[in-house]
């Protein structure tokens, strides 16, 4: 059990409940692993933002069942704010427009989802989705809404059907909501719940029991991972899902600054976890996924143990076809900005990395070219059934001018990618990482008023990064809760700007390619701005309990050079993918001797046999394989080869 897990023993009724669940699920479902393969489906966010309604959702679900279900896309997911009234003044972080029941739990907007009027739930939609052979999913925010806390709603005890009572006290939303831990990018929406007390767990139990009663098969819980890391709540939700009488896949988000070290302590409790910021239809976003996907493959996190089954690093949705823009009150109105080559590159990387495949475009406008990309049979086979998936670091490449595209001349190897270092920025990672050490308190004029870390040398002197340290100042418009927990905490101020304190998480949703820089906002009483320096020289965030790390301010992949991935199939086939991140064509080459080194001695049989090579995108037979595989790859394009002997 990871850090922050509840330490209280399981209730005496749990063994009986687990036995009952086996009877309810039946033998096949009880023995079936959760997310045994990377999940596939459709999610409403990229095409509808938060304003999707029942009619649009059901139309998309019908096409999903007809055209994509035969290819394994089975989850139909309503993304965020399905409980928000679609009226003037409502937007992503508006307050007071959410539907909540007498227990503080959200229920669907009855104007957008009219079938919900019968039960204030999604039961009818779920039944229709199940009738199509699909699975039904919804997006959730962590914890409890600010609206429920302000209305001080009672907490439902699902065992009695009455308000939750413990130690003679009837508990309410104000008792469990951590108002100093509201979601960094939706502060008027939701906050963390205190899972250390029975009332907090009782509230979450009533939530997920309700979702199971609606027929939900998949939940995507947001503002709970990455820089919004809330391990106690993740583990509590995971445990509560195991109490239910139906299997529910658990996906967590967002993935801002997620590393394999951070995922190590949490992947066993979930089935999918985002490892990047939001992916939209820009080449910068696509290219930013190469490093992070490689690191998770190298850490053996692909298909590792998860909640009642397996877990999968999630590269986010496929934003192809007809889309909207992030966070706006508008449905699909524009075409994807990625070129056809760039879409193929994204699909190929997602497949080689075995990421979940969630299509984001409006299926009503699904065109044949997009359909052919997301249903390529070999890529889908790789995505589900390949093994030994990893980046292949031994490719050679050269830029090809237009007149040289048919040349077979081989030149020197290029670096895979370049890094520039124009400054430093704060990142966050798990505190077990040694790179988080080295912070210290610097005194000036007899006052310990700076927190610093050295990051280089110049003229035999240390170069330091410093922030001003102040005690938290409380203002009249801030709600003060659990102040005793913060006696050793402090703000970190920007010394060049008045009343600007360092944030541990961005105040808006981050895209995958956003550059990390120190983020400052108005100083306030919020865990997002509270820090502490421990005895090991680690600067710890009170919001996520992650530790600060100093790194290059624009550490990102520059879109130049070649990348490659390799995997093997169940019948001994080899899958090799070339990716050209450059702005012009490249000739990319892989030698069979290098593949043998990476894949091991079993590859000798492959080399000594007569082997054929097929271009996965075109289906063209490229003939026998000799000493190397070489191809000219378009700008931002990809080629994937299936080698069989």
């Amino acid at each position: 059990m990871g850090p922050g897990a509840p330490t209280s023993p399981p209730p005496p009724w749990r063994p009986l409940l687990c036995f009952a669940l086996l009877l309810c699920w039946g033998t096949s479902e009880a023995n079936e692993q959760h997310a045994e393969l990377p999940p596939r489906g459709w999610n409403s966010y990229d095409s509808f933002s938060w304003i999707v309604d029942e009619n649009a959702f059901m139309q998309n679900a019908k096409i999903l069942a007809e055209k994509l279900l035969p290819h394994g896309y089975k989850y139909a997911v309503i993304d965020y704010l399905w409980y928000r009234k679609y009226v003037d003044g409502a937007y992503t972080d508006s307050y007071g427009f959410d539907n909540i029941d007498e227990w503080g739990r959200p229920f669907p907007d009855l104007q957008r989802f009219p079938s919900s009027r019968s039960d204030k739930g999604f039961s009818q939609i779920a039944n229709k989705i199940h009738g199509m052979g699909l699975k039904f999913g919804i997006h959730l925010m962590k914890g409890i809404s600010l609206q429920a806390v302000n209305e001080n709603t009672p907490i439902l005890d699902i065992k009695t059907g009455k308000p939750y009572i413990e130690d003679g006290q009837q508990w309410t939303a104000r008792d469990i909501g951590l108002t100093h831990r509201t979601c960094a990018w939706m502060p008027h929406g939701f906050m963390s719940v205190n899972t250390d007390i029975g009332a907090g767990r009782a509230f979450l139990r009533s939530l997920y029991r309700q979702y199971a009663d609606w027929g939900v098969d998949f939940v995507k819980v947001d503002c709970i991972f990455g820089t919004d890391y809330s391990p106690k709540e993740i583990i509590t939700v995971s445990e509560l899902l195991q109490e239910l009488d139906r299997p529910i896949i658990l996906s967590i988000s967002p993935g801002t600054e997620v590393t394999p070290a951070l995922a190590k302590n949490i992947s066993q409790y979930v089935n999918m976890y985002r490892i990047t910021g939001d992916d939209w239809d820009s080449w910068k976003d696509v290219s930013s996924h190469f490093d992070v996907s490689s690191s998770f493959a190298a850490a053996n996190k692909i298909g590792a143990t998860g909640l009642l089954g397996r877990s999968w690093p999630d590269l986010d949705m496929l934003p192809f076809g007809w889309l909207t823009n992030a966070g706006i009150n508008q449905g699909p109105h524009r075409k994807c900005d990625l070129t056809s080559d760039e879409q193929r590159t994204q699909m190929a990387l997602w497949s080689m990395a075995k990421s979940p495949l969630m299509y984001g475009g409006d299926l009503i406008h699904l065109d044949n070219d997009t359909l052919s990309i997301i249903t390529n049979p070999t890529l889908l086979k790789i995505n589900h059934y390949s093994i030994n998936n990893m980046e292949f670091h031994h490719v050679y490449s050269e830029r090809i001018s237009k007149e040289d595209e048919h040349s077979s001349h081989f030149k020197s190897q290029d670096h895979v990618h370049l890094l520039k270092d124009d400054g430093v920025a704060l990142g966050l990672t798990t505190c077990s990482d040694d790179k988080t050490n080295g912070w210290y308190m610097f005194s000036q004029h007899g006052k310990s008023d700076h927190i610093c870390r050295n990051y280089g040398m110049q003229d035999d002197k240390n170069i330091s990064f410093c922030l001003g340290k102040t005690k938290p100042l409380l203002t009249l418009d801030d709600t003060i809760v659990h102040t005793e927990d913060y006696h050793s905490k402090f703000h970190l101020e920007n010394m060049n700007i008045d009343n600007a304190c360092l944030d541990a998480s961005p105040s808006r949703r981050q895209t995958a390619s956003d550059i990390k820089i120190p983020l400052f906002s108005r100083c306030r009483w919020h865990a997002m701005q509270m820090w502490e320096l421990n005895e090991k020289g680690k600067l710890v965030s009170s919001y996520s309990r992650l530790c600060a790390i100093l790194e290059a301010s624009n550490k990102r992949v520059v879109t130049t050079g070649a990348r490659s991935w390799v995997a093997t199939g169940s019948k001994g086939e080899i899958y090799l993918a070339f990716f050209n991140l450059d702005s012009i064509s490249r000739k990319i080459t892989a030698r069979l001797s290098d593949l043998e080194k990476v894949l091991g001695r079993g590859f000798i049989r492959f080399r000594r046999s007569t082997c054929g090579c097929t271009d996965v995108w075109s289906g063209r037979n490229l003939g026998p394989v000799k000493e190397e595989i070489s191809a000219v790859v378009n700008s931002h394009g990809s080629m994937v080869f299936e080698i069989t002997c």
Side-chain angles (χ1 to χ4, degrees), residues 20-32:
L21 297 190
L22 293 179
L23 297 179
C24 294
W25 287 0
T27 303
S28 60
E29 282 194 308
N31 294 329
E32 183 180 344

Side-chain angles (χ1 to χ4, degrees), residues 310-549:
R310 297 186 181 276
S311 62
W312 305 94
D314 178 12
L315 298 179
D316 202 13
M317 290 175 276
L318 299 169
F320 305 160
W322 278 86
L323 306 170
T324 187
N325 293 317
I328 68 171
N329 294 13
Q330 188 175 1
H333 61 278
R334 64 178 183 87
K335 290 184 178 180
C336 171
D337 283 338
L338 296 173
T339 67
S340 180
D341 279 331
E342 290 168 346
Q343 291 177 54
R344 284 177 167 80
T345 291
Q346 181 165 356
M347 182 67 186
L349 177 61
W350 267 232
S351 298
M352 293 296 291
K354 302 193 73 169
S355 171
L357 299 178
M358 292 289 178
Y359 184 71
D362 181 14
L363 290 173
I364 297 171
H365 296 96
L366 180 64
D367 61 87
N368 290 332
D369 288 343
T370 304
L371 179 63
S372 68
I373 291 173
I374 64 175
T375 60
N376 182 282
T378 304
L379 287 179
L380 293 183
K381 181 170 65 172
I382 294 170
N383 176 254
H384 266 182
Y385 301 114
S386 62
I387 57 174
N388 301 315
N389 305 68
M390 68 185 91
E391 182 168 12
F392 181 62
H393 295 280
H394 304 282
V395 292
Y396 304 84
S397 73
E398 62 171 319
R399 288 189 170 196
I400 299 293
S401 62
K402 288 291 183 181
E403 57 270 21
D404 292 336
E405 280 195 357
H406 300 290
S407 168
S408 61
H409 181 62
F410 177 72
K411 293 186 180 179
S412 62
Q413 180 181 10
D414 275 322
H415 292 297
V416 167
H417 64 286
L418 303 173
L419 292 177
K420 294 183 178 180
D421 187 358
D422 298 332
V424 293
L426 284 176
L428 289 169
T429 188
T430 177
C431 295
S432 61
D433 191 329
D434 289 340
K435 294 179 181 179
T436 60
N437 297 335
W439 293 92
Y440 61 92
M441 202 168 293
F442 176 70
S443 300
Q444 246 186 353
H445 309 299
K447 296 181 180 180
S448 300
D449 55 2
H450 290 77
I451 300 294
C452 301
R453 190 181 189 282
N454 300 333
Y455 68 93
M457 297 285 292
Q458 184 175 337
D459 299 328
D460 296 325
K461 295 181 180 179
N462 287 322
I463 305 174
S464 300
F465 175 88
C466 293
L467 291 162
K469 168 185 168 290
T470 68
K471 282 287 184 182
L473 299 177
L474 308 182
T475 59
L476 292 176
D477 60 339
D478 288 318
T479 302
I480 305 171
V481 180
H482 303 301
T483 55
E484 67 274 11
D485 294 337
Y486 290 89
H487 66 276
S488 63
K489 312 297 191 297
F490 46 78
H491 281 137
L492 290 171
E493 287 192 314
N494 186 325
M495 292 178 286
N496 298 316
I497 304 174
D498 290 337
N499 195 31
C501 288
L502 180 69
D503 293 336
S505 186
S507 57
R508 65 172 181 83
R509 290 293 296 241
Q510 297 283 282
T511 67
S513 59
D514 276 343
I515 302 171
K516 284 185 283 189
I517 58 175
L519 300 167
F520 294 89
S521 64
R522 179 185 66 86
C523 297
R524 61 195 186 279
W525 183 266
H526 194 290
M528 186 176 69
Q529 290 189 342
M530 299 296 179
W531 303 83
E532 63 181 298
L533 183 66
N534 69 18
E535 67 279 1
K536 297 180 180 178
K538 297 176 184 288
L539 186 60
V540 186
S541 164
S542 297
Y543 179 65
S544 61
R545 304 307 300 172
L546 299 178
C547 285
I549 186 172

Side-chain angles (χ1 to χ4, degrees), residues 29 32 40-42 57 61 64-65 69 72-78 125-126 128-138 215-218 246-249 358:
E29 282 194 308
E32 183 180 344
R40 296 179 191 155
W42 175 81
F57 179 73
L64 177 67
L69 180 59
Y73 292 81
K74 65 180 180 180
Y75 290 96
V77 182
I78 298 176
I125 288 179
K128 292 177 182 177
I129 294 297
H130 295 154
M132 298 178 188
L134 300 169
K135 301 286 189 180
F136 178 57
I138 56 175
V216 170
D217 308 292
F218 178 105
R246 66 179 298 108
I248 295 180
I249 298 298
M358 292 289 178

